[in-house]
Each structure stands twice: as structure tokens, then as C-alpha cells.
């Protein structure tokens, strides 16, 4: 599954093109995808089953609430974060993976000051000299904030 990240990136790219009028750049991209055997192979690995498997795994952590358990290996936002990091690490030895932390400042109305949030970041350095300073950024959320009646222990008593 070394090309798994590429599969995910191309799947997201392909999904973003669905339903839109194709620009010249999009038409060129589609032409490249149709003629490049590596791209064809990667796209061939995208399936509803593989995406469903990822979603099932994320669901298995029971909660990914932003303020949930960060220590458990099987439950909460911390376990999900480590699974994502470890999954990315298996895609390519060239992939540089780190956790980007952000501490909630004083005065925040959404979360307690001092709460640490972490994003999983994976960087695949390019090798093309002319493209060294260009970046493609894909993002997504793996956390949730449940708006249903809050369970016991929520310091904000949100409803």
C-alpha cells in the first residue's frame, strides 16, 4: 500500500472534478490521468470498499470528540490521531509525518484555554527542481464535536 496516499489524494482530486464544468486545466489533468499508466494503476486501487474500511476504522474509536481521551490506544481522539499517523507512515519511507500542535489561547469561547489540539501532517517532498517551492495542500478533519445532548463530564454543559 505504498501508493495509498497517492490513491487518497487522487481520489479526492477526482471527486472534486465530479459535477463541475471542466476547465482547460481540468481537461489536461483528465488527459494525463487517461494516458499515464502509473496514474491509471493508482486510480484503479480506489474503491468504495477501501474508503468504507477507513471510515469503519475511524468509527471504531467510539468517539473522536475534540476533547476526548488522548491517552488510550483504542478509544478517543488520541488513538485516532496515532492510527492516522501510523497509517501514513506505511505509505512511503519518503513521507515526512509530524503532529502540528496548537494550544487554545485565553479568551476562547469554544474551548478551555490551554487545551492542546493536534493535526496530523504528512509531507511528501517532490523531486522536480522547478516545483520545489510549490505545494499541494489537502486537509480534512478527523475530530468531531457532538451537538447532541452532551454526556456527563463536559465542562461546558453544552446541549
Amino acid at each position: 500500500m505504498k501508493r495509498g496516499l497517492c490513491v487518497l489524494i487522487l481520489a479526492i482530486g477526482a471527486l472534486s472534478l465530479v459535477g463541475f464544468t471542466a476547465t482547460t486545466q481540468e481537461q489536461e489533468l483528465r488527459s494525463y490521468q487517461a494516458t499515464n499508466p502509473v496514474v491509471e494503476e493508482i486510480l484503479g486501487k480506489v474503491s468504495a470498499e477501501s474508503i468504507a474500511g477507513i471510515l469503519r476504522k475511524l468509527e471504531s474509536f467510539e468517539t473522536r470528540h475534540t476533547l476526548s481521551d488522548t491517552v488510550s490506544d483504542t478509544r478517543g481522539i488520541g488513538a485516532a490521531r496515532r492510527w492516522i499517523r501510523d497509517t501514513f507512515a506505511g505509505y512511503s519511507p519518503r513521507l515526512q509525518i509530524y503532529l502540528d500542535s496548537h494550544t487554545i489561547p485565553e479568551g476562547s469561547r469554544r474551548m478551555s484555554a490551554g487545551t492542546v489540539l493536534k493535526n496530523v501532517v504528512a509531507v511528501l517532498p517532490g523531486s522536480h527542481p522547478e516545483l520545489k517551492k510549490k505545494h499541494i495542500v489537502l486537509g480534512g478533519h478527523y475530530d468531531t464535536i457532538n451537538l447532541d445532548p452532551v454526556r456527563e463530564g463536559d465542562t461546558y454543559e453544552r446541549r
Side-chain angles (χ1 to χ4, degrees):
M1 187 155 197
K2 293 198 183 256
R3 294 189 180 154
L5 181 61
C6 292
V7 170
L8 179 60
I9 290 169
L10 289 174
I12 292 169
L15 291 173
S16 70
L17 297 177
V18 174
F20 296 98
T21 304
T23 64
T24 303
Q25 187 176 13
E26 289 167 343
Q27 289 171 344
E28 289 173 7
L29 176 60
R30 288 180 185 162
S31 174
Y32 178 75
Q33 290 172 340
T35 59
N36 186 302
V38 173
V39 174
E40 278 187 58
E41 178 188 348
I42 292 169
L43 287 175
K45 293 180 180 179
V46 176
S47 71
E49 293 81 21
S50 65
I51 294 170
I54 292 168
L55 294 176
R56 278 191 301 277
K57 181 60 180 178
L58 289 171
E59 289 171 356
S60 78
F61 297 112
E62 298 176 36
T63 180
R64 292 183 319 282
H65 187 285
T66 305
L67 301 176
S68 65
D69 191 335
T70 60
V71 179
S72 171
D73 288 331
T74 58
R75 184 177 192 283
I77 193 79
R81 172 173 44 239
R82 287 185 294 279
W83 176 78
I84 293 168
R85 180 200 61 203
D86 294 347
T87 299
F88 282 173
Y91 290 153
S92 169
R94 292 182 47 231
L95 199 57
Q96 300 167 358
I97 303 152
Y98 64 95
L99 298 177
D100 179 58
S101 297
H102 170 72
T103 303
I104 300 297
E106 290 291 331
S108 173
R109 296 186 311 165
R110 189 170 154 241
M111 291 182 199
S112 297
T115 301
V116 177
L117 306 177
K118 295 182 181 183
N119 293 306
V120 182
V121 178
V123 176
L124 182 62
S127 57
H128 194 287
E130 292 178 33
L131 301 177
K132 286 272 186 193
K133 294 184 179 183
K134 294 191 183 240
H135 299 87
I136 298 171
V137 178
L138 301 174
H141 286 269
Y142 66 99
D143 64 341
T144 63
I145 294 181
N146 187 351
L147 297 179
D148 290 338
V150 178
R151 295 180 182 170
E152 182 177 303
D154 183 292
T155 58
Y156 297 102
E157 299 180 29
R158 293 175 283 219
R159 297 281 181 245

